[in-house]
């Protein structure tokens, strides 16, 4: 080979035409290295779903870019490269791996997150920028744009991801991809207002918590209006100040039941707690037939918001209780707890019980 080629050439033999070998020239030492090329084919699938007409980037074990791997209309790819272990990336997210050491067919399994962005009245959000980021790894993300039907999809590897809408990174859905396969979600635009005692709550952090305790947050504007994107499920609504403030449910076909305009009637409950004039530190439970709140008492002071109603208040590590009716702000509460009585035995250093009267 060396004698047959001009010394100045960098030579790459086409694997299909030259017997499946690749040759390259070492200019300094005037040596030619011949590496065997394996012609590999197979399908890229998410479970049983073929990934069609998709280009992915192939990297070697040193994280060096090798070439594009492109699937056809059936999800099949054709690849010619030296033997070794390779990883496939979609943007900078690793979506799968392939070991090339024979010319046999090799299928590549990836994961697929897909869904739709819909308005509250089920109209598509078209042309919106969507980003999918691996949880805890902000540099590993892939971006796309919703199509005319508001649909989006991401090819990823196994892991936990969050899908963000707009540049403000509003969390719209979090997918836990435990096994290789496909996961689809319709994402519904939910918007409304938050008002307390006829006053709009502006710049208030709001939380929608599903039954799996996953939390999606958004913030009201200067007029108390909010907008967020939620997948189907049942959500408890709360804010930084107000707990147990409402519920709503989104069905699989995007129907929202329950209120999205939260007209609240919460009042401030604040005061002091002491035991024999000593400041109390601990937790107090404020409970009615419909609601239950936990409030932390620090250095004898507490401050919380509760809905209108009649409540029983109990204190951690105390049998003392108080009753209070909340119909307006109640900010001058002064709870004095009695000392708790205790009983037991007193023993000396030998373990003998000290006699009565000693």
């Amino acid at each position: 080979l060396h004698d047959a080629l001009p010394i100045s050439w960098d030579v790459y033999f086409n694997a299909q035409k030259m017997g499946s070998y690749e040759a390259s020239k070492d200019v300094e030492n005037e040596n030619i290295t011949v590496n065997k090329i394996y012609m590999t084919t197979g399908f890229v699938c998410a479970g049983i779903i073929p990934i069609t007409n998709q280009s992915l980037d192939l990297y070697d074990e040193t994280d060096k870019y090798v070439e594009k791997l492109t699937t056809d209309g059936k999800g099949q790819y054709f690849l010619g490269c030296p033997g070794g272990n390779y990883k496939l990336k979609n943007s900078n997210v690793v979506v799968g791996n392939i070991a090339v050491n024979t010319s046999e067919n090799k299928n590549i399994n990836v994961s697929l997150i897909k869904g739709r962005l819909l308005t509250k009245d089920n109209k598509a959000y078209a042309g919106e920028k969507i980003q999918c980021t691996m949880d805890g790894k902000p540099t590993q993300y892939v971006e796309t744009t919703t199509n005319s039907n508001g649909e989006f999809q991401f090819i990823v590897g196994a892991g936990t991801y969050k899908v963000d809408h707009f540049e403000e990174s509003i969390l719209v859905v979090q997918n836990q991809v435990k096994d290789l396969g496909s996961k689809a979600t319709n994402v519904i635009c939910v918007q409304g207002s938050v008002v307390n005692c006829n006053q709009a709550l502006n710049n208030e952090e709001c939380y929608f918590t599903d039954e799996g305790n996953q939390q999606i947050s958004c913030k009201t504007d200067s007029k108390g209006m909010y907008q967020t994107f939620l997948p189907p499920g049942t959500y408890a609504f709360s804010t930084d100040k107000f707990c147990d403030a409402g519920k709503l449910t989104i069905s699989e076909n995007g129907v929202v039941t329950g209120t999205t305009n939260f007209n609240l009637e919460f009042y401030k409950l604040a005061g002091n707690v002491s035991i024999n004039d000593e400041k109390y530190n601990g937790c107090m439970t404020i409970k009615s037939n419909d609601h239950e709140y936990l409030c932390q008492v620090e250095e004898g002071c507490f401050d919380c918001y509760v809905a209108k109603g009649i409540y029983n208040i109990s204190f951690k590590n105390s049998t003392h209780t108080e009753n209070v009716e909340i119909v307006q702000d109640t900010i001058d509460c002064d709870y004095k707890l009695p000392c708790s009585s205790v009983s037991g035995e007193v023993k000396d250093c030998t373990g003998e019980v000290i006699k009565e009267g000693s």
Side-chain angles (χ1 to χ4, degrees):
L1 285 174
H2 182 275
D3 294 336
L5 297 171
I7 293 176
S8 60
W9 289 6
D10 287 329
V11 184
Y12 294 93
F13 288 90
N14 183 292
Q16 290 175 300
K17 294 180 180 179
M18 303 300 291
S20 296
Y21 283 85
E22 176 189 75
S24 61
K25 176 180 142 301
D26 182 336
V27 176
E28 182 179 353
N29 298 314
E30 299 184 0
N31 294 322
I32 289 183
T33 302
V34 179
N35 295 319
K36 186 171 183 179
I37 297 294
Y38 294 97
M39 297 306 298
T40 307
T41 185
F43 291 87
V44 180
C45 297
I48 61 173
I49 302 174
I51 305 300
T52 60
N53 302 313
Q54 178 72 39
S55 289
L56 300 170
D57 296 320
L58 190 71
Y59 286 79
D60 64 14
E61 292 177 285
T62 65
D63 210 33
K64 181 181 178 182
Y65 173 77
V66 178
E67 61 178 283
K68 288 280 186 186
L69 182 149
T70 303
T71 61
D72 60 18
K74 297 180 180 179
Q76 189 172 14
Y77 72 92
F78 297 91
L79 182 66
C81 61
N85 295 315
Y86 297 88
K87 53 189 174 185
L88 284 174
K89 290 186 179 183
N90 184 15
S91 185
N92 55 358
V93 175
V94 177
V95 301
N97 298 281
I98 179 173
V100 177
N101 47 29
T102 66
S103 294
E104 65 184 21
N105 293 353
K106 292 182 181 292
N107 294 334
I108 301 172
N109 288 315
V110 298
S111 294
L112 187 65
I113 297 175
K114 63 179 183 178
R116 297 180 68 202
L117 271 181
L118 302 173
T119 63
K120 187 178 177 182
D121 54 358
N122 277 339
K123 292 183 179 179
Y125 263 99
E128 295 294 335
K129 182 180 176 182
I130 303 290
Q131 179 173 295
C132 178
T133 307
M134 180 170 278
D135 192 33
K137 298 181 179 179
T139 61
Q140 296 190 25
Y141 65 89
V142 60
E143 294 178 344
T144 191
T145 303
T146 57
N147 64 16
S148 58
N149 293 321
E151 297 170 336
F152 64 87
Q153 76 171 32
F154 298 102
I155 298 168
V156 295
T160 303
Y161 297 85
K162 64 177 183 178
V163 180
D164 299 317
H165 176 237
F166 300 142
E167 294 180 356
E168 292 86 351
S169 294
I170 300 173
L171 180 62
V172 296
V173 59
Q174 184 166 336
N175 287 282
Q176 175 70 45
V177 186
K178 295 181 180 178
D179 302 308
L180 297 176
S182 173
K183 195 173 185 71
T185 303
N186 286 326
V187 184
I188 309 302
C189 176
V190 178
Q191 51 193 355
S193 61
V194 185
V195 175
N196 186 56
C197 298
N198 298 319
Q199 288 189 335
L201 291 179
N202 58 352
N203 300 316
E204 181 80 7
E205 199 73 29
C206 301
Y207 305 96
F208 292 88
T209 306
D210 66 15
E211 293 173 316
N213 211 32
Q214 293 288 331
Q215 197 171 76
I216 296 171
S217 64
C218 61
K219 203 168 188 177
T220 59
D221 61 16
S222 59
K223 297 180 180 180
M225 303 297 295
Y226 73 89
Q227 176 177 285
T228 189
F229 295 85
L230 302 173
T234 298
Y235 297 88
F237 175 76
S238 61
T239 75
D240 274 342
K241 291 181 180 178
F242 310 135
C243 300
D244 194 16
K247 284 188 176 181
L248 62 84
T249 299
I250 301 173
S251 68
E252 289 294 334
N253 58 0
V255 177
V256 180
T257 56
T259 183
T260 57
N261 295 315
F262 298 97
N263 295 311
L264 311 178
E265 196 172 2
F266 278 72
Y267 295 97
K268 188 173 184 178
L269 175 64
N272 303 290
V273 183
S274 61
I275 301 179
N276 280 6
D277 297 326
E278 294 288 333
K279 295 177 179 178
Y280 174 82
N281 287 281
C283 183
M284 53 190 282
T285 302
I286 307 164
K287 188 175 183 179
S288 71
N289 291 332
D290 301 315
H291 303 284
E292 182 174 337
Y293 308 97
L294 296 178
C295 181
Q296 193 66 29
V297 183
E298 297 181 355
E299 294 297 315
C301 298
F302 69 91
D303 184 341
C304 60
Y305 286 85
V306 298
K308 183 171 67 173
I310 298 175
Y311 293 90
N312 175 264
I313 302 177
S314 58
F315 304 85
K316 187 176 181 180
N317 298 329
S318 174
T319 58
H320 184 73
T321 61
E322 295 276 354
N323 293 311
V324 62
E325 183 176 5
I326 304 296
V327 293
Q328 60 183 10
D329 285 351
T330 307
I331 58 175
D332 294 320
C333 300
D334 189 12
Y335 300 128
K336 296 182 179 181
L337 311 184
C339 286
S340 299
S341 61
V342 296
S343 61
E345 295 178 328
V346 180
K347 298 180 180 180
D348 62 20
C349 58
T350 65
E352 293 292 327
V353 177
I354 298 177
K355 295 180 180 180
E356 180 181 359
S358 300

